[in-house]
Amino acid sequence: MAKLKKVMAEHLSKHRFEHCLRVSDYAVKLAKQNGLDQQEAALAGLVHDYAKERSQADFLAKIDATGLPADLKKWGNPIWHGVVGAAFVQDELGIEDPTILQAIRLHTTGGGHLEMTTLDKVVFMADYLEEGRDFPGVETARRVTDESLNQGVFYQLAHTLSYLASKEQVIYPKTFDAYNDWAQYLKQ
Ligand SMILES: [Fe+2]
Ligand SMILES: [Fe+2]
C-alpha cells in the first residue's frame, strides 16, 4: 500500500492524490458498515482515479490497444478515466484482481443493482462522499448512504443525472440505464 501511494503521488497532482487518499478512507468506513473487506476497499479507493490526468491521446490509444468498443471514443475523460482507466491500472500498477478493476470501471458510470458488487457501490459512494466534498446536499447523501448503501447509490445516480440535465450535458447511456434499474428495483 505504501508503494502504491508513492506511485499514485507521482502520477497525479497533489489535489487529485489527496482526493484519492480521502476516497480510500471513506471506502474503509463504508466497508466496515457493509461487511466488506477493508483492505480491498482501501486499495480500490486509492487507485480509482489513477488514470484521471492522462491525455486524450493516451485514452484513445488505450481504447484501440485493449479492443474496447470504438464508440467509447466519442465520450471523454469523465467516462474514460474509469472505463478505460481500469486498463491503465491493470497494465501499469499490476493490479489483476477483477473485482478491483470492475470497481474502477464502474465508478464513472454506475451500474445496475445486479451488476454492482458491494465493493463497486462502496467505491462509487466514497468518491461522491469523501470528506473533502462539500456540494449542497452532501450531508443528506452521507446520511442516506449510512442508512442504506443501495439508497445512496440511487441518490447519487438521481442527483448526477438531474445535475447533468440541468447543465444540458450529455448523459452516458449506461448511467441512464443504471438509474432506471435502481428506480425500478427500489421504488416499485
Ligand atoms: Fe473518478
Ligand atoms: Fe474520484
Side-chain angles (χ1 to χ4, degrees):
M1 209 60 171
K3 212 171 168 186
L4 261 184
K5 279 185 188 167
K6 193 168 169 281
V7 178
M8 290 295 293
E10 285 164 3
H11 277 81
L12 294 173
S13 58
K14 183 171 181 283
H15 140 88
R16 181 87 45 203
F17 174 61
E18 287 172 356
H19 160 71
C20 289
L21 293 178
R22 291 192 301 266
V23 171
S24 183
D25 289 346
Y26 210 93
V28 168
K29 169 193 139 87
L30 292 177
K32 279 185 208 158
Q33 288 172 207
N34 291 280
L36 182 72
D37 183 84
Q38 293 174 36
Q39 275 295 110
E40 198 179 22
L43 174 62
L46 176 66
V47 300
H48 82 287
D49 271 347
Y50 171 72
K52 177 81 180 181
E53 294 175 358
R54 302 299 275 254
S55 68
Q56 174 164 328
D58 275 4
F59 281 114
L60 294 174
K62 201 67 164 176
I63 290 168
D64 284 334
T66 53
L68 282 161
D71 72 297
L72 252 182
K73 291 182 184 177
K74 71 179 184 214
W75 297 86
N77 183 293
I79 296 299
W80 290 340
H81 81 272
V83 177
V84 188
F88 286 101
V89 169
Q90 182 171 16
D91 295 347
E92 298 177 14
L93 301 181
I95 293 174
E96 300 285 347
D97 183 342
T99 61
I100 304 270
L101 297 175
Q102 174 165 302
I104 296 166
R105 236 176 258 128
L106 293 191
H107 97 270
T108 59
T109 64
H113 78 282
L114 294 176
E115 180 182 15
M116 291 185 93
T117 64
T118 304
L119 180 66
D120 298 339
K121 295 172 197 172
V122 160
V123 172
F124 187 64
M125 293 317 299
D127 188 30
Y128 191 58
L129 302 176
E130 57 93 343
E131 294 299 338
R133 298 289 196 200
D134 66 351
F135 58 87
V138 67
E139 284 306 330
T140 306
R142 287 187 183 124
R143 186 168 42 72
V144 168
T145 308
D146 281 344
E147 281 167 20
S148 160
L149 187 59
N150 283 347
Q151 292 288 349
V153 169
F154 182 59
Y155 183 100
Q156 179 179 171
L157 285 167
H159 285 256
T160 299
L161 253 65
S162 98
Y163 175 78
L164 290 171
S166 78
K167 299 275 173 196
E168 301 183 350
Q169 288 183 23
V170 289
I171 294 170
Y172 192 61
K174 189 176 168 69
T175 306
F176 230 107
D177 290 344
Y179 168 80
N180 280 328
D181 177 81
W182 282 100
Q184 282 166 338
Y185 177 59
L186 294 175
K187 301 285 170 185
Q188 286 178 10

